[in-house]
Structure formats: C-alpha cells, structure tokens
Amino acid sequence: MTHSRIVAILTVAGFLAAMWIFELFDSVMGGALDSAFGLRSWDTGAPWTIVTAPFMHANLGHLISNSLPFLVLGSLVALSGGLGRFIWTTLIVVVVSGVGVWLFSPPGVLTVGASGLVFGYFGYTVLRGIVERRTIDIVIMISVIVFYGTLIWGVLPQQEGVSWQAHLFGFAGGLLSAWLLPKRERPRAAPQPSTPYSPYRY
C-alpha cells in the first residue's frame, strides 16, 4: 500500500474522530453546534455551513448510524485513489450535496449529518470501477454493490426527518467526481530493443 493511500485512510479516520468530538461537545451544549454549523436551506447568511454541516449530527444515534458506512466507503475511496483523489472527491460531494440540500429543502430546514458523504462515496466507488476498469476499482465496485447496494433506495423520499435531498445530491456528487477526476495512467511496458538489421541469413 502506497504512502498516499495510508495517509488518505488515516484522514478518513480523522474526519470520523472529529465528528465524534463535535457531537460529544454538542450534546453538552444542548445542540448549539448544530444550530451554528448546520446547513439551513434558503439562508444566505452562512454559506460556509455547506462544508461544516456534514460534521454535525442530530444526536449520537444519528452519528452511530453514519459512522460505519462513512468509515468503510471513505476508506475504499482512499484505497482506490490515494489522498489527493479522496480530498477532491470529498470536496465535490460536499458542494454538490450541500447546494442540492440548500435549494431543494423547504425554506428554513436545518440539515446536518455525513449521510451526503456516505452516498457520495457510494456513487464514486460504483462508477469509478466502470470508468477506470482497473482491477482494484472493479473489485471495490462489486464489493460495494454487494454489501451496500440497498443504499440506493435512500435517494427517494421515504421517512420524515431524513434528508433524501442530501442522499440524492450526495450520490450525484459521487458520480460526478468519478466522471470528472482524471484517469490514472497505467504503467507501460518498456520498449524492447530492436534487433540490428543484417543482410545475411543463417
């Protein structure tokens, strides 16, 4: 495993650790962090909350439900592409998911949670196997479909209080990042030395 992939996986773990720290503080503060750093739809006063909202959670149960898929799918993105690709994928998913939530949620609704990132990583790992056609990406794609394929139903409106907008646009952001980020160059075989021409036959 390359150094970049190791650092990327540690970054995923660091993001998750930060989510837990924020939620523990938020529990003590009675939800003040959610109010300050959550994304409130149609509110133009705090556009930076698009970036901070995925690190906030409504309660410990909400965080627990997101933790394992975030860690697994985020680590698969990190394993597939290394630190740079993981960071770019995360940024694209955060922006697309956040803008979608801001535009298509009812006015004034507060949205928090990493589920947009979970669905983004899901979309990325599925499409990247098709785009790259490398063994590691295809294996990851098949594994994700087998173990997390039912996530796709989360992009539909189903349960009150669950942001299907974050799921849908997070998934779209993952697909977009898989399509936009350039393909990795495959190693080329070294050219074989040419045999000197000889007019004689043996």
Side-chain angles (χ1 to χ4, degrees), residues 80-102:
S80 169
L83 180 60
R85 192 170 295 268
F86 170 74
I87 294 297
W88 274 110
T89 299
T90 300
L91 287 174
I92 292 172
V93 170
V94 164
V95 171
V96 174
S97 177
V99 171
V101 167
W102 190 89

Side-chain angles (χ1 to χ4, degrees), residues 46-198:
W48 43 268
T49 55
I50 285 178
V51 177
T52 58
F55 290 88
M56 304 295 117
H57 287 82
N59 49 53
L60 282 175
H62 184 204
L63 176 56
I64 290 170
S65 67
N66 278 336
S67 292
L68 183 59
F70 175 85
L71 184 61
V72 171
L73 293 172
S75 295
L76 289 176
V77 175
L79 180 64
S80 169
L83 180 60
R85 192 170 295 268
F86 170 74
I87 294 297
W88 274 110
T89 299
T90 300
L91 287 174
I92 292 172
V93 170
V94 164
V95 171
V96 174
S97 177
V99 171
V101 167
W102 190 89
L103 283 174
F104 292 98
S105 296
V109 170
L110 184 68
T111 301
V112 294
S115 57
L117 279 173
V118 169
F119 276 78
Y121 296 153
F122 172 66
Y124 173 91
T125 51
V126 169
L127 185 58
R128 200 64 191 178
I130 299 172
V131 172
E132 285 282 359
R133 298 180 184 177
R134 296 169 73 249
T135 301
I136 185 173
D137 293 299
I138 293 173
V139 170
I140 288 174
M141 176 187 70
I142 294 172
S143 301
V144 166
I145 291 174
V146 169
F147 290 102
Y148 287 100
T150 55
L151 274 180
I152 192 64
W153 301 114
V155 303
L156 302 175
Q158 296 183 55
Q159 184 179 345
E160 186 69 25
V162 175
S163 178
W164 61 268
Q165 295 92 339
H167 299 174
L168 174 61
F169 288 98
F171 182 71
L175 296 179
L176 183 64
S177 60
W179 182 260
L180 286 180
L181 294 176
K183 290 183 178 181
R184 291 177 288 268
E185 292 187 4
R186 293 168 173 78
R188 298 179 180 178
Q192 298 295 323
S194 58
T195 303
Y197 173 75
S198 173

